[in-house]
């Protein structure tokens, strides 16, 4: 089930539908099908929204390494007691996961068009993939802007079926797009979610000037002073059709870094 996005303060109006689409009001002529398609195309090709509170482009920060871990294409804020895991695809590091107590935030940055944001379109792809699994998606306006809150069917360690609650957040920047996946207690507890939201906001992206196709991942690297620890238990994965949905089944766990502050 995929519900239409709704503002936090918006109440349903009489006679409206939660389904996507365009419906005529009384006395109005229905829109032609091609006009509806054009409107949908315009809706998903919006310019990047302002980012007054981050995440930041490296050009917007005077000292990106201050209080952050340098991963090359991304500077990730350090949090006391956090564990930082990197995820690899082939030979490249393409994502970083911060684990704080019983919460996790996966960060992945992608190249994006200069004058066009990706997050609107990516949300549609994620929602479609998860609903095909029988999951439930709600699109809401949260602290980081529009986000997806998902209930994803998973198999529990004892072999029974369960549901994993996950939040998908995203922000469009100048020629990049940052996607975050919040899981664990951070997806259901406001206090832990607020900590990970602040980490997401304070992340700095280094897109670089090299030509990149839209949606190509911005490659990361290990910090020079990384302290490796043994690989732990594999996380539950979210299996679905979009490469943006945080599907760790498509990535392999790489070295882990323990950051203690």
């Amino acid at each position: 089930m995929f519900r239409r996005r709704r503002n936090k303060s918006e109440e349903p109006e009489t006679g409206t539908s939660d389904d996507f689409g365009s419906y005529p009001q009384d006395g109005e002529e229905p829109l032609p099908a091609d006009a509806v398609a054009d409107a949908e195309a315009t809706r998903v090709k919006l310019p990047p929204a302002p980012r007054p509170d981050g995440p930041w482009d490296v050009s917007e920060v005077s000292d990106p390494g201050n209080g952050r871990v340098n991963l090359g294409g991304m500077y990730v804020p350090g949090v006391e007691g956090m564990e930082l895991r990197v995820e690899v695809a082939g030979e490249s590091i393409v994502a970083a996961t911060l684990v704080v107590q019983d919460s996790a935030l996966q960060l992945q940055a992608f190249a994006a068009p200069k004058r066009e944001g990706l997050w609107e379109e990516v949300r549609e792809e994620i929602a479609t993939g998860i609903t095909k699994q029988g999951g439930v998606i709600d699109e809401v306006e949260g602290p980081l802007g529009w986000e997806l809150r998902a209930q994803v069917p998973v198999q529990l360690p004892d072999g029974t079926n369960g549901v994993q609650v996950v939040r998908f957040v995203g922000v469009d920047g100048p020629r990049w797009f940052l996607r975050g996946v919040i899981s664990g207690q951070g997806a259901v507890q406001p206090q832990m979610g607020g900590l990970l939201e602040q980490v997401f906001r304070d992340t700095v992206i280094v897109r670089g000037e090299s030509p990149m196709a839209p949606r190509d991942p911005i490659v990361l690297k290990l910090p020079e002073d990384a302290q490796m620890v043994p690989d732990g238990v594999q996380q539950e994965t979210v299996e679905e059709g979009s490469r943006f949905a945080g599907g760790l089944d498509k990535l392999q766990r790489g070295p882990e870094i323990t950051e203690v502050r």
Side-chain angles (χ1 to χ4, degrees), residues 55-79:
W56 310 107
D57 186 77
V58 68
S59 64
E60 301 167 335
V61 180
S62 59
D63 186 7
N66 184 17
R68 301 181 183 89
V69 180
N70 184 358
L71 296 178
M74 182 188 302
Y75 285 84
V76 178
V79 176

Side-chain angles (χ1 to χ4, degrees), residues 56 66 73 87 91 100 102 105 119 122 145 149 204 217 223 243 260:
W56 310 107
N66 184 17
E87 316 287 346
E91 300 297 321
V100 183
D102 296 327
L105 168 64
W119 182 218
V122 166
R149 297 183 181 178
V204 177
R243 61 188 289 192
V260 179

Side-chain angles (χ1 to χ4, degrees), residues 86 152 181 193 199:
V86 293
V152 184
V181 184
V199 170

Side-chain angles (χ1 to χ4, degrees), residues 50-57 60 144 171-172 176 178 197 200-203:
R51 295 169 292 106
D53 301 314
W56 310 107
D57 186 77
E60 301 167 335
L144 298 171
V171 168
D172 292 300
W176 52 258
L178 178 64
E197 289 162 10
F200 184 85
R201 285 191 187 98
D202 206 30
T203 297

Side-chain angles (χ1 to χ4, degrees), residues 10 17 20 31 99 104 106 111 119 144 148 155 186 234 236 248:
E10 180 184 348
S17 170
F20 283 102
L31 292 174
V99 180
Q106 187 196 60
W119 182 218
L144 298 171
L148 296 179
Q155 187 173 58
Q234 183 72 25
E236 293 291 339
L248 301 186

Side-chain angles (χ1 to χ4, degrees), residues 16-253:
T16 61
S17 170
D18 270 359
D19 296 331
F20 283 102
S22 178
Y23 299 89
Q25 301 296 321
D26 292 340
E28 292 183 356
E29 292 294 328
L31 292 174
D34 55 349
V36 174
D38 290 343
E40 284 296 303
T42 301
R43 185 176 71 85
V44 300
K45 295 182 178 180
L46 301 175
R51 295 169 292 106
D53 301 314
W56 310 107
D57 186 77
V58 68
S59 64
E60 301 167 335
V61 180
S62 59
D63 186 7
N66 184 17
R68 301 181 183 89
V69 180
N70 184 358
L71 296 178
M74 182 188 302
Y75 285 84
V76 178
V79 176
E80 183 176 357
M82 82 176 188
E83 183 180 297
L84 180 60
R85 302 170 180 170
V86 293
E87 316 287 346
V88 300
E91 300 297 321
S92 301
I93 299 175
V94 295
T97 300
L98 289 77
V99 180
V100 183
Q101 298 180 13
D102 296 327
S103 302
L105 168 64
Q106 187 196 60
L107 296 168
Q108 192 167 12
F110 302 88
K114 187 174 182 180
R115 297 181 178 85
E116 181 181 310
L118 293 177
W119 182 218
E120 183 91 7
E121 187 173 2
V122 166
R123 291 200 306 275
E124 298 278 354
E125 296 176 6
I126 295 173
T128 299
I130 292 178
T131 52
K132 284 182 179 178
Q133 295 183 69
V136 176
I137 285 282
D138 202 7
E139 186 178 29
V140 301
E141 187 178 16
L144 298 171
W146 289 108
E147 66 177 72
L148 296 179
R149 297 183 181 178
Q151 299 177 43
V152 184
V154 295
Q155 187 173 58
L156 301 177
D158 62 3
T160 60
N161 295 326
V163 173
Q164 181 181 13
V165 179
V166 184
R167 290 173 58 193
F168 295 92
V169 297
V171 168
D172 292 300
R175 300 173 64 220
W176 52 258
F177 161 64
L178 178 64
R179 188 226 60 201
V181 184
I182 300 175
S183 57
Q185 290 300 307
V188 294
Q189 295 290 341
Q191 182 176 359
M192 287 305 301
L195 173 63
L196 298 181
E197 289 162 10
Q198 187 55 48
V199 170
F200 184 85
R201 285 191 187 98
D202 206 30
T203 297
V204 177
I205 305 302
V206 185
R207 159 66 172 78
E209 298 301 324
S210 300
M212 296 179 67
R215 300 187 175 221
D216 277 357
I218 295 175
V219 177
L220 310 179
K221 68 177 183 180
L222 291 175
E224 295 179 357
D225 57 349
Q227 177 185 357
M228 305 305 171
V229 297
D231 191 6
V233 178
Q234 183 72 25
Q235 303 185 79
E236 293 291 339
T237 62
V238 179
E239 296 184 2
E240 58 85 34
S242 173
R243 61 188 289 192
F244 296 94
L248 301 186
D249 55 301
K250 299 178 179 61
L251 306 175
Q252 297 177 351
R253 283 276 291 281

